[in-house]
PDB file of all heavy atoms in Angstrom:
ATOM      1  N   MET T   1       0.829  -1.199   0.000  1.00 95.00           N
ATOM      2  CA  MET T   1       0.000   0.000   0.000  1.00 95.00           C
ATOM      3  C   MET T   1       0.872   1.261   0.000  1.00 95.00           C
ATOM      4  O   MET T   1       1.917   1.302   0.656  1.00 95.00           O
ATOM      5  CB  MET T   1      -0.907   0.010   1.244  1.00 95.00           C
ATOM      6  CG  MET T   1      -1.939  -1.095   1.276  1.00 95.00           C
ATOM      7  SD  MET T   1      -3.072  -0.924   2.690  1.00 95.00           S
ATOM      8  CE  MET T   1      -1.954  -1.214   4.070  1.00 95.00           C
ATOM      9  N   GLU T   2       0.431   2.259  -0.716  1.00 95.00           N
ATOM     10  CA  GLU T   2       1.082   3.561  -0.682  1.00 95.00           C
ATOM     11  C   GLU T   2       0.625   4.299   0.573  1.00 95.00           C
ATOM     12  O   GLU T   2      -0.557   4.252   0.924  1.00 95.00           O
ATOM     13  CB  GLU T   2       0.706   4.376  -1.916  1.00 95.00           C
ATOM     14  CG  GLU T   2       1.115   3.739  -3.237  1.00 95.00           C
ATOM     15  CD  GLU T   2       2.592   3.924  -3.537  1.00 95.00           C
ATOM     16  OE1 GLU T   2       3.153   4.965  -3.120  1.00 95.00           O
ATOM     17  OE2 GLU T   2       3.186   3.040  -4.185  1.00 95.00           O
ATOM     18  N   PRO T   3       1.517   4.988   1.260  1.00 95.00           N
ATOM     19  CA  PRO T   3       1.112   5.745   2.449  1.00 95.00           C
ATOM     20  C   PRO T   3       0.164   6.877   2.049  1.00 95.00           C
ATOM     21  O   PRO T   3       0.352   7.520   1.013  1.00 95.00           O
ATOM     22  CB  PRO T   3       2.434   6.278   2.998  1.00 95.00           C
ATOM     23  CG  PRO T   3       3.327   6.352   1.789  1.00 95.00           C
ATOM     24  CD  PRO T   3       2.942   5.175   0.935  1.00 95.00           C
ATOM     25  N   THR T   4      -0.828   7.124   2.860  1.00 92.00           N
ATOM     26  CA  THR T   4      -1.847   8.129   2.524  1.00 92.00           C
ATOM     27  C   THR T   4      -1.768   9.388   3.369  1.00 92.00           C
ATOM     28  O   THR T   4      -2.358  10.404   2.998  1.00 92.00           O
ATOM     29  CB  THR T   4      -3.252   7.517   2.697  1.00 92.00           C
ATOM     30  OG1 THR T   4      -3.378   7.008   4.039  1.00 92.00           O
ATOM     31  CG2 THR T   4      -3.481   6.381   1.709  1.00 92.00           C
ATOM     32  N   ASP T   5      -1.023   9.349   4.479  1.00 92.00           N
ATOM     33  CA  ASP T   5      -1.116  10.465   5.421  1.00 92.00           C
ATOM     34  C   ASP T   5       0.216  11.021   5.901  1.00 92.00           C
ATOM     35  O   ASP T   5       0.231  11.861   6.811  1.00 92.00           O
ATOM     36  CB  ASP T   5      -1.944  10.034   6.636  1.00 92.00           C
ATOM     37  CG  ASP T   5      -3.357   9.624   6.246  1.00 92.00           C
ATOM     38  OD1 ASP T   5      -4.163  10.517   5.943  1.00 92.00           O
ATOM     39  OD2 ASP T   5      -3.622   8.407   6.222  1.00 92.00           O
ATOM     40  N   LEU T   6       1.327  10.595   5.337  1.00 93.00           N
ATOM     41  CA  LEU T   6       2.608  11.159   5.756  1.00 93.00           C
ATOM     42  C   LEU T   6       2.709  12.608   5.275  1.00 93.00           C
ATOM     43  O   LEU T   6       2.352  12.918   4.143  1.00 93.00           O
ATOM     44  CB  LEU T   6       3.772  10.358   5.165  1.00 93.00           C
ATOM     45  CG  LEU T   6       4.211   9.091   5.903  1.00 93.00           C
ATOM     46  CD1 LEU T   6       5.358   8.428   5.151  1.00 93.00           C
ATOM     47  CD2 LEU T   6       4.617   9.384   7.338  1.00 93.00           C
ATOM     48  N   PRO T   7       3.193  13.503   6.119  1.00 91.00           N
ATOM     49  CA  PRO T   7       3.366  14.898   5.687  1.00 91.00           C
ATOM     50  C   PRO T   7       4.446  14.999   4.606  1.00 91.00           C
ATOM     51  O   PRO T   7       5.359  14.178   4.556  1.00 91.00           O
ATOM     52  CB  PRO T   7       3.784  15.617   6.971  1.00 91.00           C
ATOM     53  CG  PRO T   7       4.386  14.545   7.827  1.00 91.00           C
ATOM     54  CD  PRO T   7       3.615  13.298   7.520  1.00 91.00           C
ATOM     55  N   GLU T   8       4.336  16.005   3.760  1.00 90.00           N
ATOM     56  CA  GLU T   8       5.272  16.172   2.654  1.00 90.00           C
ATOM     57  C   GLU T   8       6.702  16.403   3.128  1.00 90.00           C
ATOM     58  O   GLU T   8       7.652  16.107   2.404  1.00 90.00           O
ATOM     59  CB  GLU T   8       4.816  17.335   1.761  1.00 90.00           C
ATOM     60  CG  GLU T   8       3.594  17.021   0.904  1.00 90.00           C
ATOM     61  CD  GLU T   8       3.874  15.915  -0.102  1.00 90.00           C
ATOM     62  OE1 GLU T   8       5.015  15.830  -0.605  1.00 90.00           O
ATOM     63  OE2 GLU T   8       2.945  15.128  -0.384  1.00 90.00           O
ATOM     64  N   ASP T   9       6.849  16.938   4.344  1.00 90.00           N
ATOM     65  CA  ASP T   9       8.195  17.204   4.852  1.00 90.00           C
ATOM     66  C   ASP T   9       8.756  16.032   5.662  1.00 90.00           C
ATOM     67  O   ASP T   9       9.744  16.178   6.392  1.00 90.00           O
ATOM     68  CB  ASP T   9       8.204  18.471   5.702  1.00 90.00           C
ATOM     69  CG  ASP T   9       7.290  18.368   6.926  1.00 90.00           C
ATOM     70  OD1 ASP T   9       6.553  17.374   7.039  1.00 90.00           O
ATOM     71  OD2 ASP T   9       7.320  19.290   7.768  1.00 90.00           O
ATOM     72  N   PHE T  10       8.142  14.866   5.550  1.00 91.00           N
ATOM     73  CA  PHE T  10       8.625  13.679   6.269  1.00 91.00           C
ATOM     74  C   PHE T  10      10.060  13.382   5.873  1.00 91.00           C
ATOM     75  O   PHE T  10      10.398  13.320   4.696  1.00 91.00           O
ATOM     76  CB  PHE T  10       7.736  12.475   5.947  1.00 91.00           C
ATOM     77  CG  PHE T  10       8.301  11.162   6.423  1.00 91.00           C
ATOM     78  CD1 PHE T  10       8.323  10.853   7.770  1.00 91.00           C
ATOM     79  CD2 PHE T  10       8.814  10.237   5.519  1.00 91.00           C
ATOM     80  CE1 PHE T  10       8.842   9.649   8.216  1.00 91.00           C
ATOM     81  CE2 PHE T  10       9.339   9.033   5.954  1.00 91.00           C
ATOM     82  CZ  PHE T  10       9.356   8.729   7.306  1.00 91.00           C
ATOM     83  N   ARG T  11      10.912  13.203   6.884  1.00 90.00           N
ATOM     84  CA  ARG T  11      12.319  12.880   6.643  1.00 90.00           C
ATOM     85  C   ARG T  11      12.609  11.452   7.074  1.00 90.00           C
ATOM     86  O   ARG T  11      12.164  11.000   8.124  1.00 90.00           O
ATOM     87  CB  ARG T  11      13.233  13.838   7.423  1.00 90.00           C
ATOM     88  CG  ARG T  11      13.124  15.291   7.018  1.00 90.00           C
ATOM     89  CD  ARG T  11      13.552  15.497   5.562  1.00 90.00           C
ATOM     90  NE  ARG T  11      14.922  15.058   5.324  1.00 90.00           N
ATOM     91  CZ  ARG T  11      15.989  15.832   5.485  1.00 90.00           C
ATOM     92  NH1 ARG T  11      15.852  17.084   5.896  1.00 90.00           N
ATOM     93  NH2 ARG T  11      17.200  15.371   5.230  1.00 90.00           N
ATOM     94  N   ILE T  12      13.381  10.775   6.265  1.00 90.00           N
ATOM     95  CA  ILE T  12      13.719   9.376   6.537  1.00 90.00           C
ATOM     96  C   ILE T  12      14.487   9.246   7.846  1.00 90.00           C
ATOM     97  O   ILE T  12      14.340   8.260   8.580  1.00 90.00           O
ATOM     98  CB  ILE T  12      14.529   8.787   5.366  1.00 90.00           C
ATOM     99  CG1 ILE T  12      13.663   8.744   4.100  1.00 90.00           C
ATOM    100  CG2 ILE T  12      15.047   7.390   5.702  1.00 90.00           C
ATOM    101  CD1 ILE T  12      14.420   8.375   2.849  1.00 90.00           C
ATOM    102  N   SER T  13      15.302  10.236   8.157  1.00 87.00           N
ATOM    103  CA  SER T  13      16.137  10.176   9.360  1.00 87.00           C
ATOM    104  C   SER T  13      15.354  10.397  10.649  1.00 87.00           C
ATOM    105  O   SER T  13      15.875  10.166  11.738  1.00 87.00           O
ATOM    106  CB  SER T  13      17.262  11.208   9.268  1.00 87.00           C
ATOM    107  OG  SER T  13      16.721  12.517   9.136  1.00 87.00           O
ATOM    108  N   ARG T  14      14.126  10.818  10.531  1.00 88.00           N
ATOM    109  CA  ARG T  14      13.331  11.121  11.724  1.00 88.00           C
ATOM    110  C   ARG T  14      13.012   9.847  12.507  1.00 88.00           C
ATOM    111  O   ARG T  14      12.564   8.845  11.950  1.00 88.00           O
ATOM    112  CB  ARG T  14      12.038  11.802  11.308  1.00 88.00           C
ATOM    113  CG  ARG T  14      11.120  12.118  12.471  1.00 88.00           C
ATOM    114  CD  ARG T  14       9.820  12.714  11.969  1.00 88.00           C
ATOM    115  NE  ARG T  14       8.754  12.574  12.952  1.00 88.00           N
ATOM    116  CZ  ARG T  14       7.472  12.618  12.659  1.00 88.00           C
ATOM    117  NH1 ARG T  14       7.091  12.790  11.417  1.00 88.00           N
ATOM    118  NH2 ARG T  14       6.572  12.480  13.604  1.00 88.00           N
ATOM    119  N   SER T  15      13.238   9.886  13.807  1.00 87.00           N
ATOM    120  CA  SER T  15      12.913   8.747  14.652  1.00 87.00           C
ATOM    121  C   SER T  15      11.415   8.705  14.923  1.00 87.00           C
ATOM    122  O   SER T  15      10.801   9.730  15.235  1.00 87.00           O
ATOM    123  CB  SER T  15      13.676   8.831  15.975  1.00 87.00           C
ATOM    124  OG  SER T  15      13.274   7.800  16.860  1.00 87.00           O
ATOM    125  N   LEU T  16      10.837   7.522  14.808  1.00 86.00           N
ATOM    126  CA  LEU T  16       9.403   7.350  15.011  1.00 86.00           C
ATOM    127  C   LEU T  16       9.113   6.407  16.170  1.00 86.00           C
ATOM    128  O   LEU T  16       8.035   5.841  16.276  1.00 86.00           O
ATOM    129  CB  LEU T  16       8.752   6.812  13.734  1.00 86.00           C
ATOM    130  CG  LEU T  16       8.858   7.734  12.516  1.00 86.00           C
ATOM    131  CD1 LEU T  16       8.509   6.987  11.249  1.00 86.00           C
ATOM    132  CD2 LEU T  16       7.950   8.929  12.693  1.00 86.00           C
ATOM    133  N   SER T  17      10.105   6.238  17.046  1.00 84.00           N
ATOM    134  CA  SER T  17       9.980   5.307  18.160  1.00 84.00           C
ATOM    135  C   SER T  17       9.278   5.990  19.327  1.00 84.00           C
ATOM    136  O   SER T  17       9.878   6.793  20.047  1.00 84.00           O
ATOM    137  CB  SER T  17      11.365   4.805  18.587  1.00 84.00           C
ATOM    138  OG  SER T  17      11.264   3.849  19.611  1.00 84.00           O
ATOM    139  N   ALA T  18       7.995   5.708  19.523  1.00 86.00           N
ATOM    140  CA  ALA T  18       7.225   6.301  20.625  1.00 86.00           C
ATOM    141  C   ALA T  18       7.606   5.645  21.951  1.00 86.00           C
ATOM    142  O   ALA T  18       8.124   4.522  21.983  1.00 86.00           O
ATOM    143  CB  ALA T  18       5.734   6.129  20.369  1.00 86.00           C
ATOM    144  N   ASN T  19       7.331   6.335  23.032  1.00 93.00           N
ATOM    145  CA  ASN T  19       7.654   5.814  24.363  1.00 93.00           C
ATOM    146  C   ASN T  19       6.537   4.865  24.822  1.00 93.00           C
ATOM    147  O   ASN T  19       5.776   5.183  25.738  1.00 93.00           O
ATOM    148  CB  ASN T  19       7.841   6.946  25.360  1.00 93.00           C
ATOM    149  CG  ASN T  19       8.466   6.468  26.664  1.00 93.00           C
ATOM    150  OD1 ASN T  19       8.585   5.264  26.903  1.00 93.00           O
ATOM    151  ND2 ASN T  19       8.856   7.406  27.504  1.00 93.00           N
ATOM    152  N   ILE T  20       6.462   3.710  24.183  1.00 95.00           N
ATOM    153  CA  ILE T  20       5.401   2.760  24.521  1.00 95.00           C
ATOM    154  C   ILE T  20       5.643   2.104  25.870  1.00 95.00           C
ATOM    155  O   ILE T  20       4.710   1.601  26.498  1.00 95.00           O
ATOM    156  CB  ILE T  20       5.235   1.680  23.430  1.00 95.00           C
ATOM    157  CG1 ILE T  20       6.523   0.873  23.261  1.00 95.00           C
ATOM    158  CG2 ILE T  20       4.812   2.310  22.108  1.00 95.00           C
ATOM    159  CD1 ILE T  20       6.364  -0.324  22.323  1.00 95.00           C
ATOM    160  N   ARG T  21       6.875   2.103  26.341  1.00 95.00           N
ATOM    161  CA  ARG T  21       7.159   1.506  27.646  1.00 95.00           C
ATOM    162  C   ARG T  21       6.450   2.293  28.745  1.00 95.00           C
ATOM    163  O   ARG T  21       5.937   1.712  29.700  1.00 95.00           O
ATOM    164  CB  ARG T  21       8.663   1.456  27.908  1.00 95.00           C
ATOM    165  CG  ARG T  21       9.431   0.577  26.931  1.00 95.00           C
ATOM    166  CD  ARG T  21      10.866   0.322  27.397  1.00 95.00           C
ATOM    167  NE  ARG T  21      10.871  -0.393  28.649  1.00 95.00           N
ATOM    168  CZ  ARG T  21      11.469   0.061  29.761  1.00 95.00           C
ATOM    169  NH1 ARG T  21      12.087   1.238  29.764  1.00 95.00           N
ATOM    170  NH2 ARG T  21      11.437  -0.648  30.865  1.00 95.00           N
ATOM    171  N   ARG T  22       6.433   3.588  28.620  1.00 95.00           N
ATOM    172  CA  ARG T  22       5.717   4.418  29.592  1.00 95.00           C
ATOM    173  C   ARG T  22       4.212   4.331  29.363  1.00 95.00           C
ATOM    174  O   ARG T  22       3.430   4.246  30.309  1.00 95.00           O
ATOM    175  CB  ARG T  22       6.183   5.865  29.491  1.00 95.00           C
ATOM    176  CG  ARG T  22       5.446   6.822  30.430  1.00 95.00           C
ATOM    177  CD  ARG T  22       5.972   8.232  30.282  1.00 95.00           C
ATOM    178  NE  ARG T  22       7.379   8.309  30.671  1.00 95.00           N
ATOM    179  CZ  ARG T  22       8.129   9.405  30.538  1.00 95.00           C
ATOM    180  NH1 ARG T  22       7.595  10.510  30.018  1.00 95.00           N
ATOM    181  NH2 ARG T  22       9.390   9.401  30.918  1.00 95.00           N
ATOM    182  N   GLN T  23       3.815   4.352  28.105  1.00 94.00           N
ATOM    183  CA  GLN T  23       2.398   4.333  27.759  1.00 94.00           C
ATOM    184  C   GLN T  23       1.692   3.102  28.316  1.00 94.00           C
ATOM    185  O   GLN T  23       0.592   3.183  28.857  1.00 94.00           O
ATOM    186  CB  GLN T  23       2.243   4.381  26.241  1.00 94.00           C
ATOM    187  CG  GLN T  23       0.808   4.279  25.743  1.00 94.00           C
ATOM    188  CD  GLN T  23       0.745   4.184  24.228  1.00 94.00           C
ATOM    189  OE1 GLN T  23       1.703   4.500  23.524  1.00 94.00           O
ATOM    190  NE2 GLN T  23      -0.390   3.731  23.716  1.00 94.00           N
ATOM    191  N   TYR T  24       2.343   1.939  28.187  1.00 95.00           N
ATOM    192  CA  TYR T  24       1.718   0.691  28.624  1.00 95.00           C
ATOM    193  C   TYR T  24       2.157   0.265  30.024  1.00 95.00           C
ATOM    194  O   TYR T  24       1.745  -0.789  30.495  1.00 95.00           O
ATOM    195  CB  TYR T  24       2.064  -0.438  27.642  1.00 95.00           C
ATOM    196  CG  TYR T  24       1.362  -0.367  26.315  1.00 95.00           C
ATOM    197  CD1 TYR T  24       1.932   0.312  25.242  1.00 95.00           C
ATOM    198  CD2 TYR T  24       0.138  -0.994  26.118  1.00 95.00           C
ATOM    199  CE1 TYR T  24       1.304   0.357  24.004  1.00 95.00           C
ATOM    200  CE2 TYR T  24      -0.499  -0.954  24.884  1.00 95.00           C
ATOM    201  CZ  TYR T  24       0.092  -0.270  23.830  1.00 95.00           C
ATOM    202  OH  TYR T  24      -0.536  -0.225  22.611  1.00 95.00           O
ATOM    203  N   LYS T  25       3.031   1.073  30.657  1.00 96.00           N
ATOM    204  CA  LYS T  25       3.593   0.684  31.953  1.00 96.00           C
ATOM    205  C   LYS T  25       4.242  -0.696  31.836  1.00 96.00           C
ATOM    206  O   LYS T  25       3.739  -1.702  32.323  1.00 96.00           O
ATOM    207  CB  LYS T  25       2.520   0.691  33.051  1.00 96.00           C
ATOM    208  CG  LYS T  25       1.904   2.059  33.271  1.00 96.00           C
ATOM    209  CD  LYS T  25       0.866   2.053  34.374  1.00 96.00           C
ATOM    210  CE  LYS T  25       0.284   3.445  34.585  1.00 96.00           C
ATOM    211  NZ  LYS T  25      -0.776   3.463  35.633  1.00 96.00           N
ATOM    212  N   HIS T  26       5.386  -0.681  31.178  1.00 96.00           N
ATOM    213  CA  HIS T  26       6.023  -1.897  30.702  1.00 96.00           C
ATOM    214  C   HIS T  26       6.160  -2.992  31.761  1.00 96.00           C
ATOM    215  O   HIS T  26       5.831  -4.152  31.520  1.00 96.00           O
ATOM    216  CB  HIS T  26       7.411  -1.559  30.124  1.00 96.00           C
ATOM    217  CG  HIS T  26       8.051  -2.698  29.404  1.00 96.00           C
ATOM    218  ND1 HIS T  26       9.353  -2.666  28.960  1.00 96.00           N
ATOM    219  CD2 HIS T  26       7.588  -3.941  29.053  1.00 96.00           C
ATOM    220  CE1 HIS T  26       9.661  -3.806  28.369  1.00 96.00           C
ATOM    221  NE2 HIS T  26       8.618  -4.600  28.422  1.00 96.00           N
ATOM    222  N   LYS T  27       6.656  -2.652  32.925  1.00 95.00           N
ATOM    223  CA  LYS T  27       6.896  -3.682  33.941  1.00 95.00           C
ATOM    224  C   LYS T  27       5.601  -4.386  34.340  1.00 95.00           C
ATOM    225  O   LYS T  27       5.563  -5.622  34.439  1.00 95.00           O
ATOM    226  CB  LYS T  27       7.573  -3.075  35.167  1.00 95.00           C
ATOM    227  CG  LYS T  27       9.027  -2.679  34.923  1.00 95.00           C
ATOM    228  CD  LYS T  27       9.721  -2.271  36.210  1.00 95.00           C
ATOM    229  CE  LYS T  27      11.190  -1.969  35.945  1.00 95.00           C
ATOM    230  NZ  LYS T  27      11.931  -1.614  37.176  1.00 95.00           N
ATOM    231  N   SER T  28       4.559  -3.612  34.538  1.00 96.00           N
ATOM    232  CA  SER T  28       3.269  -4.204  34.914  1.00 96.00           C
ATOM    233  C   SER T  28       2.694  -5.016  33.766  1.00 96.00           C
ATOM    234  O   SER T  28       2.156  -6.111  33.969  1.00 96.00           O
ATOM    235  CB  SER T  28       2.288  -3.103  35.328  1.00 96.00           C
ATOM    236  OG  SER T  28       2.775  -2.380  36.435  1.00 96.00           O
ATOM    237  N   PHE T  29       2.813  -4.488  32.554  1.00 96.00           N
ATOM    238  CA  PHE T  29       2.289  -5.167  31.374  1.00 96.00           C
ATOM    239  C   PHE T  29       3.007  -6.503  31.153  1.00 96.00           C
ATOM    240  O   PHE T  29       2.372  -7.541  30.935  1.00 96.00           O
ATOM    241  CB  PHE T  29       2.447  -4.277  30.140  1.00 96.00           C
ATOM    242  CG  PHE T  29       1.928  -4.889  28.869  1.00 96.00           C
ATOM    243  CD1 PHE T  29       0.590  -4.775  28.521  1.00 96.00           C
ATOM    244  CD2 PHE T  29       2.777  -5.591  28.018  1.00 96.00           C
ATOM    245  CE1 PHE T  29       0.104  -5.354  27.348  1.00 96.00           C
ATOM    246  CE2 PHE T  29       2.297  -6.159  26.847  1.00 96.00           C
ATOM    247  CZ  PHE T  29       0.956  -6.045  26.520  1.00 96.00           C
ATOM    248  N   TYR T  30       4.332  -6.469  31.237  1.00 96.00           N
ATOM    249  CA  TYR T  30       5.134  -7.677  31.025  1.00 96.00           C
ATOM    250  C   TYR T  30       4.798  -8.745  32.064  1.00 96.00           C
ATOM    251  O   TYR T  30       4.630  -9.930  31.740  1.00 96.00           O
ATOM    252  CB  TYR T  30       6.617  -7.336  31.093  1.00 96.00           C
ATOM    253  CG  TYR T  30       7.542  -8.499  30.858  1.00 96.00           C
ATOM    254  CD1 TYR T  30       7.931  -8.857  29.570  1.00 96.00           C
ATOM    255  CD2 TYR T  30       8.033  -9.251  31.926  1.00 96.00           C
ATOM    256  CE1 TYR T  30       8.789  -9.927  29.341  1.00 96.00           C
ATOM    257  CE2 TYR T  30       8.890 -10.321  31.716  1.00 96.00           C
ATOM    258  CZ  TYR T  30       9.254 -10.659  30.429  1.00 96.00           C
ATOM    259  OH  TYR T  30      10.096 -11.727  30.226  1.00 96.00           O
ATOM    260  N   LYS T  31       4.665  -8.321  33.303  1.00 95.00           N
ATOM    261  CA  LYS T  31       4.351  -9.259  34.387  1.00 95.00           C
ATOM    262  C   LYS T  31       2.987  -9.887  34.185  1.00 95.00           C
ATOM    263  O   LYS T  31       2.813 -11.098  34.378  1.00 95.00           O
ATOM    264  CB  LYS T  31       4.409  -8.531  35.729  1.00 95.00           C
ATOM    265  CG  LYS T  31       4.182  -9.429  36.925  1.00 95.00           C
ATOM    266  CD  LYS T  31       4.320  -8.645  38.229  1.00 95.00           C
ATOM    267  CE  LYS T  31       4.081  -9.555  39.433  1.00 95.00           C
ATOM    268  NZ  LYS T  31       4.208  -8.795  40.714  1.00 95.00           N
ATOM    269  N   ALA T  32       2.002  -9.096  33.772  1.00 94.00           N
ATOM    270  CA  ALA T  32       0.648  -9.601  33.581  1.00 94.00           C
ATOM    271  C   ALA T  32       0.588 -10.609  32.439  1.00 94.00           C
ATOM    272  O   ALA T  32      -0.082 -11.635  32.527  1.00 94.00           O
ATOM    273  CB  ALA T  32      -0.310  -8.449  33.314  1.00 94.00           C
ATOM    274  N   VAL T  33       1.308 -10.308  31.354  1.00 94.00           N
ATOM    275  CA  VAL T  33       1.268 -11.181  30.176  1.00 94.00           C
ATOM    276  C   VAL T  33       2.003 -12.491  30.431  1.00 94.00           C
ATOM    277  O   VAL T  33       1.578 -13.562  29.980  1.00 94.00           O
ATOM    278  CB  VAL T  33       1.881 -10.462  28.961  1.00 94.00           C
ATOM    279  CG1 VAL T  33       2.052 -11.428  27.781  1.00 94.00           C
ATOM    280  CG2 VAL T  33       0.995  -9.288  28.547  1.00 94.00           C
ATOM    281  N   ASN T  34       3.120 -12.417  31.159  1.00 91.00           N
ATOM    282  CA  ASN T  34       3.984 -13.583  31.316  1.00 91.00           C
ATOM    283  C   ASN T  34       3.812 -14.308  32.652  1.00 91.00           C
ATOM    284  O   ASN T  34       4.536 -15.285  32.915  1.00 91.00           O
ATOM    285  CB  ASN T  34       5.452 -13.160  31.167  1.00 91.00           C
ATOM    286  CG  ASN T  34       5.764 -12.689  29.760  1.00 91.00           C
ATOM    287  OD1 ASN T  34       5.939 -13.489  28.846  1.00 91.00           O
ATOM    288  ND2 ASN T  34       5.851 -11.368  29.578  1.00 91.00           N
TER     289      ASN T  34
END
């Protein structure tokens, strides 16, 4: 699929790694799943 919503000034070098560890409370999430 072709991307439909990336801004025209999107740069390849830009980091897109969100802080999901904080968002999901990693330690609690990992413990619950495992």
